[in-house]
């Protein structure tokens, strides 16, 4: 496991503070709680309000669960709080997975991306050379 956390004060009037943390774990379901707990603790330390923190932790949980399910070797969680936006980025070493349509009949799988889409202001999925990157952005009043 590899964790970094850094904070940088920004002197511009438009932005207050910049925080960034990264966690790299094996892409295994057993490690999803570690990603979720780290996110919850960091966001509390960064003074993200509880309701926004709860939404962010749920996004982290869903994205980490997908990375654990579809990733082959590792998954990385990157949290960046910059001004009024929290960027949640989860990368894994898996191959492309077709997104489930939201109007499809719900079952045990496929609801995670719908939850993320409804909580985040924006989401993006990119296939990279080493795997997949999912990025969700959430407004924060921290």
């Amino acid at each position: 496991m590899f964790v970094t956390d850094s904070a940088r004060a920004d002197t511009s009037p438009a932005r207050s503070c910049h925080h960034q943390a990264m966690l790299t774990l094996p892409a295994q379901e057993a490690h999803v709680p570690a990603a979720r707990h780290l996110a919850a603790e960091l966001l509390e330390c960064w003074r993200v309000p509880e309701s926004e923190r709860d939404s962010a932790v749920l996004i982290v949980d869903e994205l980490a669960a997908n990375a654990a399910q579809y990733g082959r070797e590792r998954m990385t969680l990157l949290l960046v709080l910059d001004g009024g936006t929290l960027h949640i980025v989860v990368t894994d070493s898996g191959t492309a997975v077709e997104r489930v349509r939201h109007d499809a009949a719900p079952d045990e799988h496929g609801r995670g991306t719908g939850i993320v889409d409804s909580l985040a202001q924006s989401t993006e999925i990119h296939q990279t050379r080493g795997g997949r990157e999912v990025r969700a952005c959430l407004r924060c009043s921290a």
Side-chain angles (χ1 to χ4, degrees), residues 43-60:
L43 296 175
E44 185 174 2
C45 289
W46 295 349
R47 296 190 173 122
V48 172
E50 187 174 1
S51 63
E52 295 165 358
R53 188 171 62 235
D54 290 346
S55 294
V57 170
L58 183 53
I59 290 170
V60 167

Side-chain angles (χ1 to χ4, degrees), residues 23-105:
L23 172 67
T24 300
L25 296 164
Q28 299 169 355
E29 190 174 322
H31 295 287
V32 172
R36 182 178 59 245
H37 291 300
L38 176 77
E41 289 177 15
L42 283 173
L43 296 175
E44 185 174 2
C45 289
W46 295 349
R47 296 190 173 122
V48 172
E50 187 174 1
S51 63
E52 295 165 358
R53 188 171 62 235
D54 290 346
S55 294
V57 170
L58 183 53
I59 290 170
V60 167
D61 187 57
E62 295 296 336
L63 295 182
N66 285 346
Q69 182 177 1
Y70 298 111
R72 286 187 232 138
E73 299 167 10
R74 69 191 173 290
M75 61 181 168
T76 300
L77 167 65
L78 173 65
L79 298 173
V80 178
L81 180 59
D82 195 8
T85 303
L86 175 65
H87 303 271
I88 302 167
V89 183
V90 176
T91 58
D92 65 58
S93 53
T95 57
V97 175
E98 187 175 324
R99 288 185 70 160
V100 175
R101 291 181 16 196
H102 298 297
D103 60 347

